[in-house]
């Protein structure tokens, strides 16, 4: 996730900005930069790579007492020096840093280019300084110019801007956090408090729709053009806790980030009314219509996301889909390999086996698509095309928010392909998209019920083993639930298609083996209930993740899921993540770095 830092005071801004950037490194980034306002000029230093590299390129000190800085985690455009923030206008007097995504940047950029603006980067952000430049040229003050530009932006953003002839920093927040730290005769800006915690412990949090002006004396905030008071809070956290947003582990923080990750995944891509999606893909309609098969290749959690997506694609796009563990994959594209689309699903974009499978497929003549979280990763350079899941960086080794964002992205892809192939009507597509758009809220409801999940985890943490069952879309979620639990708690956990229980695993079921069941729409809950009864009659406690009317009478502990059609099993997955987390935490495991595991597996 990108990070923002800012400083307005009477001391040298440079060391403060530099240390703020170092403190933001934990968020994950690929490039970094600062803009210093010195005299009436703005000077920008930026580079791809680590903050230490940027720091090495900076002067020892500066005259600047106002500045902004940024750590970038790419969403539009590869990680390069030019794409790093801050971005400037044609005059170089306006510098902007930005977290989030500006959905309408394409149209804005087109207009700006038509009126003579020259763009240096491939980012969405760069439209902002150029728009401000136009407003300033029309006689607006910096504050007026900034506010007018913010009005024109669609999407999610936290923005900070400095201009040559002002000693202020201009801020705007929409769906991406931004806060202001009050120091001793100096004011700081941060995408979170870690950016300035060593200098300021009193903080003002901006709210969605706020536009603010920062000076050494503090911050003034406007909302809908009217001044508002946002109050000041005292920060009690130490830096380590602050990096984790107050959570004990990155994994728990990332579980709780899922609603926000989903909003980013969906941002600007869904037209629910029309039943269409815009994924910015070049796959031509005739190609999608003539497609014979989609082969999904992936490992681990991404493989489970692929299993989920396969069912959606088969159902809604009327195309044959096979899903392959990448290490077991052998491309078979028949006589016309081009008619097979091979989709690599990988959070990191660097998993050796997934890359190997994709290369094999490409060599044999298949068309390839990467679905990844990581801009500029190896998979994006290997595949013909890339679809980003935009979940933000994931630091905990166990994948959590990226799973739900992978499935949501692929659900949009299924709707897109289904519409192009005339397999899905606009009305059917609207319904599916409505469910996908309901995900952030439904996931939030599950997160709000965390205390109940913890209580259930306390009751069953010392069990001999854990079994996870589900059917259809509940099956990949059962596999994923078991994977999460085993990798962070080191307990024996297995996932099965519910119907398979009686074909063998039932021999292991006792009163010491809780069974976690997915009892939702899209997961054939009535059939799964038969398996639940089989387990219960062997004494097993059953923990049901269920939507209304599915199975609450039969289960020992129940987690509620709102009505959300085929997206319901994804909410069950959130309960399973929380359950795994609490079991592991009660056992004192190294949750963010489980033994023997790595975040990115780059060897076969
Ligand atoms: C499990 C987990 C792994 C990864 C797998 C693939 O929590 O994180 O199973 O899902 O190593 O990684 P990516 O998605 O980066 O290819």
């Amino acid at each position: 996730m990108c990070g923002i830092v800012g400083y307005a005071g009477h001391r040298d801004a440079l060391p403060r900005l530099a240390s703020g950037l170092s403190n933001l490194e934990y968020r994950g980034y690929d490039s970094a930069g600062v803009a210093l306002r010195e005299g009436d000029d703005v000077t920008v230093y930026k580079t791809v790579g680590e903050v230490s590299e940027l720091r090495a390129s900076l002067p020892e000190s500066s005259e600047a007492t106002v500045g902004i800085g940024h750590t970038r985690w790419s969403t539009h455009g590869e990680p390069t020096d030019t794409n790093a923030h801050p971005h400037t206008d044609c005059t170089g007097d306006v510098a902007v840093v930005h977290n989030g995504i500006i959905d309408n940047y394409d149209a804005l950029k087109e207009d700006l280019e038509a009126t003579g603006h020259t763009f240096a980067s491939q980012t969405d952000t760069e439209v902002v300084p150029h728009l401000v430049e136009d407003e300033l040229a029309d006689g607006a003050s910096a504050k007026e110019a900034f506010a007018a530009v913010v009005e024109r932006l669609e999407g999610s953003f936290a923005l900070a801007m400095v201009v040559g002839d002002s000693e202020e920093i201009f801020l705007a927040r929409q769906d991406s956090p931004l806060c202001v730290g009050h120091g001793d005769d100096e004011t700081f800006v941060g995408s979170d408090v870690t950016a300035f915690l060593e200098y300021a412990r009193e903080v003002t949090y901006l709210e969605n729709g706020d536009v603010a002006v920062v000076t050494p004396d503090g911050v003034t905030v406007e909302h809908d053009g009217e001044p508002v008071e946002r109050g000041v809070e005292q920060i009690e956290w130490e830096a380590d806790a602050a990096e984790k947003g107050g959570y004990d582990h990155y994994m728990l923080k990332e579980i709780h980030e899922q609603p926000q990750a989903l909003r980013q995944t969906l941002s600007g891509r869904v037209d629910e009314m029309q039943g269409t999606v815009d994924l910015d893909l070049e796959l031509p309609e005739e190609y999608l219509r003539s497609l014979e098969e989609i082969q999904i290749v992936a490992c681990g959690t991404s493989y489970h996301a692929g299993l989920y997506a396969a069912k959606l694609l088969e159902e809604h796009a009327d195309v044959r889909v096979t899903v392959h563990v990448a290490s077991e994959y052998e491309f078979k594209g028949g006589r016309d390999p081009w008619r097979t689309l091979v989709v690599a699903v990988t959070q990191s974009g660097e998993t050796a086996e997934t890359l190997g499978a994709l290369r094999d497929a490409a060599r044999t003549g298949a068309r390839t698509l990467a679905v990844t979280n990581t801009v500029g990763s190896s998979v994006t350079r290997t595949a013909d095309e890339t679809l980003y899941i935009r979940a933000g960086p994931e630091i905990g080794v166990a994948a959590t928010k990226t799973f739900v964002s992978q499935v949501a992205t692929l659900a949009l892809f299924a709707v897109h392909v289904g519409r192009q192939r005339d397999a899905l009507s606009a009305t059917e597509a609207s319904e599916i998209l409505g469910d996908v758009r309901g995900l952030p809220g439904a996931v939030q409801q599950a997160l709000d019920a965390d205390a109940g999940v913890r209580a259930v985890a306390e009751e069953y943490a010392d069990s001999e083993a854990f079994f996870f069952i589900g059917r259809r879309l509940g099956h990949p979620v059962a596999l994923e639930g078991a994977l999460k639990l085993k990798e962070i708690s080191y307990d024996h956990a297995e996932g099965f298609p519910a119907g398979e229980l009686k074909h063998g695993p039932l021999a292991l079921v006792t009163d010491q083996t809780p069974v976690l069941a997915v009892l939702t729409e899209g997961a054939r809950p009535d059939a799964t209930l038969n398996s639940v009864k089989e387990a219960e009659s062997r004494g097993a406690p059953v923990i049901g993740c269920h939507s209304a009317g599915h199975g609450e009478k039969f289960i020992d502990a129940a987690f509620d899921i709102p009505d959300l059609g085929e997206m319901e099993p994804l909410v069950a997955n959130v309960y399973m993540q929380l359950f795994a987390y609490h079991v592991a935490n009660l056992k004192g495991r190294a949750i963010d770095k489980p033994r023997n595991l790595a975040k990115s597996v780059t060897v076969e």
Side-chain angles (χ1 to χ4, degrees), residues 350-555:
E350 302 294 349
T351 301
E353 288 140 333
T354 308
L355 284 168
L358 198 68
R359 283 191 192 110
D360 281 353
R363 214 174 292 126
T364 327
R367 191 160 185 151
T368 56
L369 171 70
V371 176
T372 186
N373 196 30
T374 316
V375 176
S377 57
S378 302
V379 79
T380 66
R381 293 191 296 274
T382 310
D384 295 319
E385 242 188 293
T386 301
L387 181 53
Y388 289 107
I389 66 165
R390 303 178 182 167
E394 198 171 57
I395 293 169
V397 163
T400 51
K401 63 178 179 173
T402 52
F403 173 76
V404 77
S405 284
Q406 283 170 336
V407 177
T409 306
L410 287 162
L412 300 188
F413 182 62
V415 170
H416 175 66
V417 179
R419 295 286 279 130
Q420 302 269 305
R421 288 168 69 86
D422 290 333
L424 203 60
S425 71
T427 316
E428 289 163 331
S430 297
E431 209 168 297
I432 301 164
L433 294 174
D435 290 337
V436 178
R437 279 169 65 98
L439 263 174
V443 167
Q444 189 60 55
Q445 281 185 40
L447 295 172
D448 292 344
D450 185 29
V453 185
R454 190 190 151 93
V456 175
E458 277 168 3
E459 193 171 342
Y460 296 110
D462 292 326
S463 303
E464 252 168 38
F466 300 83
F467 300 121
F468 292 72
I469 59 170
R471 286 176 186 243
R472 199 172 167 262
L473 297 170
H475 173 223
V477 166
L479 297 180
E480 176 59 11
L483 177 63
K484 225 63 337 172
L485 183 60
K486 76 177 74 152
E487 68 182 324
I488 61 166
S489 75
Y490 316 152
D491 283 319
H492 178 210
E494 277 189 71
F496 307 106
E500 278 293 290
L501 203 59
K502 58 185 174 298
H503 295 290
L506 206 49
L508 300 173
V509 171
T510 69
D511 59 0
Q512 286 304 307
T513 60
V515 173
L516 286 90
V518 183
L519 296 161
T520 66
E521 286 307 307
R524 298 179 57 205
D526 295 340
T528 305
L529 267 180
N530 293 334
S531 311
V532 164
K533 284 184 230 163
E534 287 160 14
E536 278 193 324
S537 62
R538 271 81 183 172
V542 176
I543 301 166
C545 303
H546 72 97
S547 46
H550 298 309
E552 57 273 49
K553 290 191 293 295
F554 300 99
I555 41 199

